């Protein structure tokens, strides 16, 4: 446990560096948009942030592997840091503050690699969330100034708040009917997008969320934060790992019903 807490402290240092670089780039974007935004500028920002994080990891954790979207996998071993430099690139490109850097640490286990540390930093929102396995999930500015996260106790779908990213993926995968049936059943729905729905479930301000398509880099930090807050995080097929290509998160009480609707069993 002590090792995980040390890694968690180090993740805060990594996030401080990432937040400074990404916020400077975000504020420097030309937002006089007449057509679709120039994603090359955003890609440059993402690459810069990932390189900064990799540099610090190589200096301070040289034995650990690193996986990022920009430069792929470097290194081998039983520990791997996963970096999603800017989650919410489209938001970033248009000046919408709902984007984040996600960093997680995976460790080899009997069933494959599992996340043991996760952190999500949304500097444009002034928010940060983190968790370490068996230590709980928190939000705040740093380890000494934080509030513990706990999922909600809502136990009936008609009382539940559903948060999600968009309808496009559900339609592309032929799952739109089940998703819409779920949306008609719950109390309210909101499309906040990307990392934020999972943090809302962990905070207990929303009760269920799901994505039909998500990479391990986008899932790892979310998974450990939701589960350490007392929730449940699986693929749409109910599998607990990060390789299902999809994600469903809940307060635990509603998880079976959530999966039932999304797999059209209701």
């Amino acid at each position: 446990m002590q090792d995980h807490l040390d890694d968690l402290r180090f993740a805060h240092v990594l996030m401080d560096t990432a937040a400074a670089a990404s916020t400077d780039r975000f504020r420097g974007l030309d937002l006089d948009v007449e057509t679709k935004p120039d994603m090359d500028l955003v890609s440059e920002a993402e690459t810069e942030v990932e390189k900064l994080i990799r540099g610090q990891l190589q200096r301070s954790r040289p034995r650990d592997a690193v996986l990022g979207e920009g430069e792929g996998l470097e290194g081998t071993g039983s520990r791997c840091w996963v970096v999603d430099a800017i989650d919410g690139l489209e938001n970033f490109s248009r000046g919408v503050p709902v984007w984040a850097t996600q960093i997680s640490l995976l460790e080899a286990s009997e069933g494959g690699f599992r996340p043991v540390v996760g952190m999500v930093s949304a500097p444009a929102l002034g928010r940060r969330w983190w968790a370490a396995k068996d230590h709980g999930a928190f939000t705040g500015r740093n380890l000494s100034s934080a509030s513990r996260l706990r999922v909600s106790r809502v136990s009936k779908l008609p009382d539940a708040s559903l948060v999600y990213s968009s309808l496009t993926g559900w339609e592309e995968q032929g799952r739109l009917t089940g998703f819409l049936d779920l949306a008609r059943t719950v109390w309210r729905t909101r499309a906040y997008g990307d990392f934020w729905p999972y943090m809302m479930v962990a905070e207990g301000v929303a009760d269920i969320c799901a994505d039909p398509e998500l990479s391990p880099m986008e899932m790892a930090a979310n998974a450990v934060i939701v589960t350490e807050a007392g929730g449940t995080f699986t693929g749409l097929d109910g599998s607990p790992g990060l390789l299902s290509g999809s994600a469903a998160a809940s307060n635990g009480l509603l998880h079976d019903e959530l999966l039932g609707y999304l797999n059209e069993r209701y």
Side-chain angles (χ1 to χ4, degrees), residues 202-233:
E203 289 181 329
V205 299
D207 312 299
I208 52 176
C209 71
D211 275 296
E213 187 175 8
L214 215 59
S215 74
M217 282 180 285
E218 296 170 310
M219 281 192 273
N222 294 335
V224 67
I225 292 171
V226 168
T227 54
E228 285 297 316
T232 301
F233 188 104

Side-chain angles (χ1 to χ4, degrees), residues 27-46:
R27 290 173 177 165
L29 287 177
D30 179 4
L31 296 179
D32 184 17
V33 178
E34 295 181 2
T35 60
K36 289 182 179 179
D38 184 353
M39 295 302 290
D40 287 340
L41 292 174
V42 181
S43 296
E44 289 175 8
E46 184 179 35

Side-chain angles (χ1 to χ4, degrees), residues 175-187:
R175 293 178 178 268
L176 186 58
T177 298
F179 182 85
L180 292 177
D181 287 344
L182 173 65
R184 295 184 186 106
T185 302
V186 299
W187 167 54

Side-chain angles (χ1 to χ4, degrees), residues 6-155:
D6 287 343
D7 290 319
L8 191 59
R9 294 186 187 96
F10 181 54
H12 275 282
V13 175
L14 294 174
M15 280 302 194
D16 290 342
T17 299
S22 59
T23 301
D24 283 348
R25 284 291 195 131
F26 180 64
R27 290 173 177 165
L29 287 177
D30 179 4
L31 296 179
D32 184 17
V33 178
E34 295 181 2
T35 60
K36 289 182 179 179
D38 184 353
M39 295 302 290
D40 287 340
L41 292 174
V42 181
S43 296
E44 289 175 8
E46 184 179 35
T47 299
E48 178 184 341
V49 172
E50 182 176 325
K51 285 183 176 180
L52 287 170
I53 294 172
R54 282 180 180 271
Q56 285 188 274
L57 283 167
Q58 288 165 357
R59 289 189 295 273
S60 299
R61 298 290 192 275
R63 296 182 180 179
D64 295 346
V66 184
L67 174 64
E69 188 172 12
E71 299 184 28
L73 177 65
E74 292 182 337
T76 59
S78 61
R79 289 163 44 102
C80 180
W81 292 88
V82 178
V83 179
D84 187 1
I86 299 179
D87 181 37
L89 284 172
E90 290 80 5
N91 285 342
F92 189 96
S93 70
R94 287 298 301 265
V96 178
V98 184
W99 52 270
T101 298
Q102 298 193 49
I103 296 174
S104 54
L105 173 63
L106 309 186
E107 284 189 350
S109 63
E110 189 173 327
F113 280 87
R114 63 177 182 176
V116 293
V117 171
M119 186 171 292
V120 175
S121 171
L125 296 176
R127 299 294 309 276
R128 188 177 292 189
W129 303 262
W130 64 86
K133 181 173 170 52
D134 299 327
H135 185 65
F138 297 84
T139 184
R141 293 184 177 275
N142 51 55
L143 285 170
S144 62
S145 177
S147 301
R148 187 153 192 164
L149 299 177
R150 291 182 175 84
V151 296
S152 75
R153 301 301 298 168
V154 173
S155 60

